[in-house]
Amino acid sequence: MRHEDEDVRSLLTNAVPPLAPPPGRLGAVARRVRRHRRRVVGGSALAVALAVGLGVGGVQAFTGGAGTPTPPVATRPTVEEPRCPAGTWEFPDLASARYGGGEPLAPEGAVEITACEVPAANPPRAGLSAPRVLTAGVGDVVRILNSMPPYQTSPGSRSPEHSGDAQQLRCTLVARDHELAFVLRYPDREPVTVYTNANCRVAVSDGRGRGLDFTLVTTFFDRYRAQLAAVTPPDTIPTPACAPSIPASRLRLTPDRSGLDDRISVDNPDRRPQLPTRLVAVTACRYVVSDDLARLTGQRSDREDAEALRPTVNAAFDRAKTTTCGGYPGYRPPKALDTLLVADATGATAEFWLRRSPCQALLRGKSSGVKPSEALVAAIDGLLGPLNER
């Protein structure tokens, strides 16, 4: 080879750089691990930054800024539950109350009124009714409370006594086994109790006194019966059933008798009218009476036309005259007896007796007999058929 050829080969060889040796496998793995760690650390830092930012921003958004405190949570005030007085010994002194003022006996806004039959003796007489709770028409009762006369009213009269002297209350001496108290419940204040006294005809609350208008009592029970009727499905009220027999000793109506069953009057103390609520069922029963037993001989029930009988029963007791057809003591049993059993829309029941022979008398509850009306006698005969007095 000539000297010129060697120079050309050397020139070509130096023009191409030498190739790098192949990379080692461990080095490539190490580089990938370092890149993964950098991505993880970067992502975690970003998440922490976002969380802190959102936390601070959220707190500021709900508090109105770092300097605005969180408003307190509103809580409902604790209100004492209504309670009926245990006895009339818990009643305030009637004579020391302030009569004649213009202050209301109870504030407006009551949502519930409980009528309590408060016993006058300890232990109380058996048979007192459980408290009645009124939630419909409460405002009507409160308005009557606050519109009653400013002074005591005379027994049997609605005119107020204007003496103004609270120490000279005039009261009757009728023995009463209970008095009424009305407990008013409010959503945002303590209950208010109004104490009434029928003998003195006054109502007292928190040292304030007024004359008692019995419209208060009748209105409460009117609203209470309407409330019961509204929530009592008629088809759940059973039709009254005749007793197969009645002991003749019960028909004699001796002074210690238990009287006729009358649950309707429990919520109708005025008994004007005798049947104040729509009837849903009636049953008429006929008995023949021997020396010791009245035996059932006929009966008929009616639900469709029960209400049509109510005006006839009410009219029979309206201004009815008492009768001398027997009397206390030793009321002789009749020879023939019809009974009328009724159920009204509140679910309450009552029974009436019509003594047919040898003389006629219509009885209710524990009252003395009255002369029956021809219309009522005809109505009962319409159910049972004409009386055969053989």
Side-chain angles (χ1 to χ4, degrees), residues 144-206:
I144 291 174
L145 270 174
N146 294 329
S147 63
M148 292 195 300
Y151 295 98
Q152 178 191 32
T153 53
S154 297
S157 171
R158 290 178 179 268
S159 60
E161 298 292 334
H162 292 289
S163 65
D165 187 353
Q167 304 299 320
Q168 300 298 321
L169 295 180
R170 289 182 283 183
C171 305
T172 61
L173 298 177
V174 177
R176 300 182 61 82
D177 54 21
H178 74 277
E179 297 288 354
L180 281 177
F182 295 91
V183 183
L184 288 75
R185 184 173 70 84
Y186 296 83
D188 54 359
R189 58 171 297 156
E190 297 302 316
V192 172
T193 303
V194 178
Y195 307 86
T196 72
N197 186 288
N199 282 347
C200 299
R201 295 185 68 90
V202 294
V204 174
S205 173
D206 194 23

Side-chain angles (χ1 to χ4, degrees), residues 133-147:
V133 180
L134 178 69
T135 58
V138 172
D140 296 339
V141 180
V142 174
R143 282 187 287 274
I144 291 174
L145 270 174
N146 294 329
S147 63

Side-chain angles (χ1 to χ4, degrees), residues 34 52 148 184 187 242 257 326 352 355:
R34 285 194 296 270
V52 172
M148 292 195 300
L184 288 75
C242 299
R257 65 187 174 89
F352 305 95
R355 296 167 60 97

Side-chain angles (χ1 to χ4, degrees), residues 112-117 129-138 140-141 182 215-232 263-269 276-277 344-348:
E112 183 180 282
I113 301 180
T114 301
C116 310
E117 289 188 2
S129 298
R132 296 126 164 134
V133 180
L134 178 69
T135 58
V138 172
D140 296 339
V141 180
F182 295 91
T215 303
L216 168 68
V217 178
T218 57
T219 300
F220 177 90
F221 281 102
D222 286 348
R223 301 296 186 272
Y224 182 69
R225 290 193 308 270
Q227 177 178 281
L228 284 180
V231 299
T232 305
R263 302 306 302 171
I264 290 177
S265 289
V266 170
D267 292 328
N268 180 36
T277 307
D344 70 12
T346 71

Side-chain angles (χ1 to χ4, degrees), residues 4-50:
E4 290 85 355
D5 294 334
E6 289 180 359
D7 291 339
V8 171
R9 182 174 20 174
S10 176
L11 182 61
L12 294 174
T13 300
N14 292 333
V16 179
L19 296 175
R25 183 173 181 82
L26 291 179
V29 171
R31 285 193 295 273
R32 287 199 299 271
V33 169
R34 285 194 296 270
R35 287 197 298 269
H36 176 70
R37 285 178 179 175
R38 285 196 295 270
R39 286 196 299 269
V40 170
V41 172
S44 300
L46 178 59
V48 171
L50 287 174

